[in-house]
Amino acid sequence: MVIDLITIFPAMVEAALAEGVIGRARTRGVVDIRARDLREFTSDRHRTVDDVPYGGGPGMVMKPEPLFAAVEAIAAERGPASAVVLMTPQGRPFTHAAVEGLSRLERIVVICGRYEGVDERVADVLVTDEISIGDYVLSGGELPALVVVDAVARLVPGVVGDDASVAADSFADGWLDYPHYTRPAVFRGRAVPDVLVSGHHGEIERWRRAEQVRRTYERRPDLLDRAVTTADDRKLLAELRQRNAAAGVSDRKTDGQEPGDERDD
Ligand code: 9WO
């Protein structure tokens, strides 16, 4: 897979791509991911990438010429892009399905916006996918682009040491993850669950799956519709629902509470 990220902060992007699983996969040549400095595609002495907005208003807008020149130069060098992605809060939500879709493509170009955004002709003509990682505005598209690249590259065979572990990752089958523990067996008076030190692999597997079901039910009931359930899963869910009903607790949906909403009054 080939990914090019167009940005005015290539050092920031390169630093993030140099480390960890993605960094090692790049070094091994399993993926070819590069940060492209947008200023390399300008044609004026000042290497201008932005200008004032037509119609007035605050801030600056990213000029179309450098972005068109960058996408076209990358296409000439690498071959036409399978997708040109613009990172923006008004894009489609970035879900596991989107990760899977992008991971099957050969060449992806990602445009990282800054200032007040990019000239609309870039979105109209060049961009094939507008993607949002959440309903908030950041100072630039670089961090969302790195989220996309990390999630997509992990699905490329050979990037993560154990491809099976990637397939079992949360959201691949719709379940949240089970708890993880390592030494010491007791830390500040809190012991590792006995089953994990029992050596009974079947019991451990059943405990882990039960924890996935419990956690998903308690924290993200919205995922249950899509989760791949077994008869045992459904039995456990029924028990969890009965236990909640007996305790007078309705099945939790997202109750709209946000961190920091706690009030003393
Ligand atoms: C800013 C904005 C504000 C309110 C509603 C929509 C908006 N879109 C943008 C926008 O695209 N801004 C540009 C890219 C320039 C400023 C920094 N940029 C950005 C991208 N901020 N936040 C994102 C982003 C991208 C993907 N997922 C979440 C946020």
Side-chain angles (χ1 to χ4, degrees), residues 9-228:
F9 296 125
M12 165 189 177
V13 173
E14 278 294 347
L17 293 173
E19 304 295 342
V21 166
I22 305 301
R24 289 193 296 275
R26 291 174 77 206
T27 304
R28 294 184 0 248
V30 176
V31 285
D32 179 353
I33 307 175
R34 287 182 55 186
R36 299 290 183 124
D37 183 353
L38 181 60
R39 295 190 193 279
E40 297 298 320
F41 301 96
T42 58
S43 51
D44 65 306
R45 193 155 54 92
H46 299 293
R47 299 172 24 116
T48 309
V49 294
D50 62 314
D51 204 340
V52 295
Y54 276 115
M60 302 291 275
V61 175
M62 296 184 85
K63 292 173 62 57
E65 300 97 321
L67 286 165
F68 271 77
V71 171
E72 288 161 359
I74 292 166
E77 179 190 326
R78 312 268 242 174
S82 317
V84 178
V85 176
L86 175 66
M87 302 310 305
T88 170
Q90 58 254 26
R92 69 185 164 103
F94 187 53
T95 62
H96 185 72
V99 177
E100 287 187 318
L102 290 172
S103 70
R104 289 192 283 267
L105 301 180
E106 195 177 336
R107 284 184 296 275
I108 301 172
V109 172
V110 185
I111 296 175
C112 304
R114 280 275 163 172
Y115 308 102
E116 295 304 312
V118 303
D119 181 285
E120 193 63 13
R121 286 152 304 179
V122 172
D124 290 344
V125 176
L126 292 179
V127 171
T128 58
D129 298 79
E130 295 192 25
I131 293 180
S132 169
I133 64 165
D135 294 335
Y136 35 76
V137 178
L138 303 168
S139 52
E142 284 81 7
L143 292 177
L146 288 165
V147 166
V148 169
V149 167
D150 189 277
V152 169
R154 284 176 55 82
L155 294 193
V156 175
V159 167
V160 175
D162 173 2
D163 290 343
S165 82
V166 173
D169 275 354
S170 283
F171 297 102
D173 60 2
W175 296 106
L176 297 186
D177 206 358
Y178 51 76
H180 297 267
Y181 296 86
T182 187
R183 287 178 291 193
V186 181
F187 178 69
R188 295 193 181 179
R190 303 179 72 88
V192 170
D194 291 340
V195 66
L196 296 181
V197 294
S198 68
H200 295 304
H201 297 293
E203 288 297 313
I204 291 168
E205 197 175 323
R206 276 188 291 278
W207 178 86
R208 285 175 167 173
R209 182 59 172 209
E211 282 299 296
Q212 284 183 278
V213 173
R214 181 181 62 76
R215 277 183 157 190
T216 308
Y217 171 73
E218 290 176 353
R219 301 181 190 189
R220 289 294 305 277
D222 58 292
L223 295 176
L224 291 174
D225 299 343
R226 206 175 56 81
V228 178

